[in-house]
Amino acid sequence: MNHKISTRALTEGAIIAAITVSLGVLSYYIPFLTLLMYIWPIPIIILGKRHGIAVSIISTITAALVLGFLTPFTYAIQLVIMYGLLGIVLGYAFQKDMSVGKTVLLGYIVALVSTVLLLQFYRLITGVNIIDELAQMMKFSLEEITKIYQQSGMDQNLIEETVTQMKNTLKTVLQIVPILLLIIPFMVTIINIWISEKILKKLGYQVKEIPPFWDWQLPNHMIFGLFLMFLIVALGQHFKIAKIDMVYLNLVYLIIFVFFLQGLAVISNFFHKKKLSKPLWIIGFLLIFLIPLFHIFVQFLGLFDTIFHFRNKLI
């Protein structure tokens, strides 16, 4: 087997390095372009599919070194840890023509590991636990808001009630950080795979595609798995295991997220079958996200579809 890297591959690798550097610089220096960091893996994925993992690794390292001169070097390292590794691994999965399930699973595992590594790197550099720092930032913000309320002459009882509600909300946010650390890597993985598929198809490649969102469906045994998790948590509460209440809270939010996603898939399936126009799709989803009552409806829709699989009857 010929393991030499062609001049064409190296040239494309240099171009991709330049693109990723540009994305990194824009996401760092322009606040409203910060979200560009989430698609940082895409050029690396395309390169990996076209020329293999070796070229994608070389290109990623080159991009990181150049980016380290244009932004703080710690930022460049963070991008490589969180998104560079994901791009390399997904590019490898595309090149090996892995199934969609394996590609998503592999990418998700790498994204999770990268998240843990990133948190440890942050702690190593700053000496601060990022969750503790987040708690301090929230506490400071709450104190500042309280001062503003007091200076505005607001009724003291109303201030105390409002501050208490905000404290409870912030406490909940901090408690569900673990589940956010599970959900965000999954979303980042799916988005990068989906966009990469579209680009690769435009370039003439045959790729295994993620099924359309309206076809997403949870397996039957999902309910039994959730019941088992609740049983384990209930036993933990009975035996008073430390922080089991936090585990329970995160489990509840995970279930809410999963069934909400499933409910959205059911609604998308209905819209698709009815061949609704894109403006009606947009209006429908805006109403769902903006009206809290619809959130509960969508969650129960997802739950019932998981149990009864009734979406095929919606005609």
Side-chain angles (χ1 to χ4, degrees):
M1 182 181 288
N2 184 11
H3 292 283
K4 291 183 179 179
I5 299 174
S6 68
T7 303
R8 180 182 176 184
L10 289 174
T11 302
E12 286 193 25
I15 295 171
I16 293 299
I19 293 172
T20 50
V21 167
S22 300
L23 289 174
V25 170
L26 290 173
S27 66
Y28 182 79
Y29 287 108
I30 304 177
F32 65 87
L33 294 179
T34 301
L35 291 177
L36 286 175
M37 72 170 68
Y38 294 111
I39 61 170
W40 207 70
I42 292 173
I44 303 170
I45 295 170
I46 306 302
L47 184 66
K49 169 67 175 177
R50 288 172 60 83
H51 297 294
I53 191 170
V55 179
S56 62
I57 290 174
I58 294 170
S59 180
T60 303
I61 292 173
T62 303
L65 292 173
V66 175
L67 191 60
F69 286 104
L70 302 175
T71 65
F73 197 67
T74 52
Y75 178 74
I77 295 176
Q78 289 174 38
L79 274 184
V80 171
I81 292 174
M82 191 65 222
Y83 304 111
L85 294 177
L86 179 62
I88 291 169
V89 169
L90 288 179
Y92 174 80
F94 274 109
Q95 188 196 33
K96 295 300 181 182
D97 201 28
M98 293 184 183
S99 66
V100 172
K102 286 183 179 179
T103 301
V104 172
L105 181 60
L106 183 62
Y108 181 50
I109 291 172
V110 171
L112 276 178
V113 172
S114 296
T115 301
V116 174
L117 291 174
L118 185 61
L119 292 175
Q120 292 302 315
F121 174 75
Y122 184 85
R123 188 172 186 175
L124 179 66
I125 296 298
T126 64
V128 178
N129 186 309
I130 194 169
I131 297 177
D132 292 339
E133 185 177 14
L134 181 62
Q136 290 298 321
M137 289 171 60
M138 288 182 172
K139 182 180 178 182
F140 176 77
S141 298
L142 187 59
E143 291 173 352
E144 291 299 309
I145 292 171
T146 304
K147 290 178 184 178
I148 293 172
Y149 285 161
Q150 291 171 341
Q151 292 170 359
S152 67
M154 185 184 292
D155 180 72
Q156 186 60 34
N157 291 329
L158 183 58
I159 292 176
E160 291 177 359
E161 182 181 344
T162 304
V163 169
T164 300
Q165 291 177 348
M166 293 178 67
K167 281 182 178 179
N168 291 334
T169 301
L170 295 179
K171 182 180 178 182
T172 301
V173 169
L174 289 173
Q175 287 179 326
I176 65 172
V177 165
I179 198 62
L180 293 176
L181 294 178
L182 288 176
I183 292 174
I184 292 173
F186 174 76
M187 300 304 294
V188 169
T189 300
I190 292 294
I191 289 169
N192 278 277
I193 290 175
W194 183 74
I195 296 176
S196 297
E197 287 174 350
K198 302 301 179 186
I199 295 174
L200 287 168
K201 284 189 69 177
K202 291 286 186 182
L203 293 174
Y205 288 94
Q206 295 292 325
V207 293
K208 296 183 175 72
E209 295 186 77
I210 294 177
F213 182 61
W214 52 79
D215 285 337
W216 286 21
Q217 195 159 16
L218 294 172
N220 293 328
H221 56 263
M222 181 74 179
I223 295 294
F224 297 104
L226 294 175
F227 175 76
L228 179 61
M229 285 192 287
F230 267 119
L231 180 61
I232 293 171
V233 170
L235 289 172
Q237 289 178 320
H238 177 74
F239 291 107
K240 298 181 179 178
I241 297 175
K243 296 187 177 181
I244 194 66
D245 289 337
M246 184 183 291
V247 174
Y248 173 78
L249 183 66
N250 279 270
L251 178 59
V252 168
Y253 275 96
L254 175 62
I255 291 169
I256 289 172
F257 172 76
V258 167
F259 286 132
F260 184 75
L261 205 63
Q262 177 82 346
L264 290 179
V266 174
I267 292 171
S268 297
N269 186 273
F270 177 76
F271 286 178
H272 176 66
K273 286 180 178 178
K274 292 295 183 180
K275 297 180 180 179
L276 299 184
S277 62
K278 286 185 178 180
L280 289 177
W281 278 68
I282 294 171
I283 292 170
F285 279 98
L286 279 176
L287 289 174
I288 290 170
F289 284 106
L290 293 177
I291 302 176
L293 185 62
F294 284 174
H295 299 177
I296 300 172
F297 170 74
V298 172
Q299 291 158 20
F300 276 105
L301 194 64
L303 171 63
F304 292 142
D305 184 63
T306 302
I307 298 172
F308 302 112
H309 300 291
F310 64 78
R311 73 171 65 183
N312 292 329
K313 301 176 183 177
L314 295 175
I315 299 175

